[in-house]
Amino acid sequence: MQGAAHDAAPAIAKLTRERVRESHINLTGATVLRFSFAEAMDGEYMRRLLEKAGVPIRMPMRRR
């Protein structure tokens, strides 16, 4: 490989390993959530996401 494709190869391999790992987790019946740092900082967004995923929330989430 040459150029940009060669430079991207390690990143592609890492993403592929992560997708396989996530697939194995999903096969256990666990729910996998993906979110960005900005989304994690949005308390209302996270509350809705966790609620939709069935995560029990015992305490009100506080925004820092």
Side-chain angles (χ1 to χ4, degrees), residues 26-40:
N26 283 326
L27 288 172
T28 71
T31 300
V32 176
L33 300 175
R34 289 179 176 226
F35 48 88
S36 69
F37 181 78
E39 290 167 334

Side-chain angles (χ1 to χ4, degrees), residues 47-64:
R47 185 194 65 74
R48 288 191 317 268
L49 181 66
L50 295 172
E51 185 178 273
K52 286 179 184 177
V55 176
I57 300 175
R58 295 185 176 96
M59 300 170 48
M61 295 177 73
R62 291 186 227 160
R63 190 170 193 173
R64 292 181 174 205

Side-chain angles (χ1 to χ4, degrees), residues 20-32:
V20 170
R21 185 185 76 84
E22 188 174 304
S23 292
H24 290 162
I25 292 170
N26 283 326
L27 288 172
T28 71
T31 300
V32 176

